[in-house]
Amino acid sequence: HSALLEEDLMPAQDLLQLFSEAAWLLEADPTLWCVSAWNDNGIKAHAKDPTALFRTDYFPGLGWMVSQAMWRDVDGGLRSKWPRMPTTGWDHWIRRDASVGGRACIA
């Protein structure tokens, strides 16, 4: 697996634990492509269960993990599709359905 973090992200102490415990989901479910450590609504006012995960079609970004296959697959992996001369931010590019083939993330 590969974990990608934006340079200005201050990760929580349990970031690696989250990724470690959720990694199997990426292998078990072919409709998933990432596990994200970011949730725009993950504040006390909205988050009632700090242990709950949810599935989303929207890429949360900032800090995320992908399987090695999703990153390296020569024909369909993110690495081969990553723009060399981007015209927009990488998070905007990756949110396009074509980038991840209609798969979802766990956040």
Side-chain angles (χ1 to χ4, degrees), residues 33-77:
W33 77 273
C34 83
V35 173
S36 177
W38 180 257
N39 177 356
D40 291 319
N41 296 309
I43 56 176
K44 283 187 179 183
H46 300 297
K48 300 208 181 335
D49 181 354
T51 64
L53 299 175
F54 66 94
R55 181 185 194 95
T56 179
D57 293 333
Y58 181 78
F59 173 57
L62 302 182
W64 45 287
M65 174 182 65
V66 294
S67 69
Q68 186 175 29
M70 184 64 182
W71 180 252
R72 291 191 174 175
D73 185 358
V74 175
D75 295 327

Side-chain angles (χ1 to χ4, degrees), residues 3-37:
L4 296 96
L5 305 177
E6 285 200 9
E7 62 192 27
D8 59 345
L9 181 70
M10 297 285 294
Q13 292 178 346
D14 62 351
L15 172 86
L16 294 178
Q17 181 180 358
L18 167 67
F19 286 167
S20 176
E21 291 183 14
W24 71 272
L25 295 168
L26 296 175
E27 309 307 325
D29 187 343
T31 66
L32 294 174
W33 77 273
C34 83
V35 173
S36 177

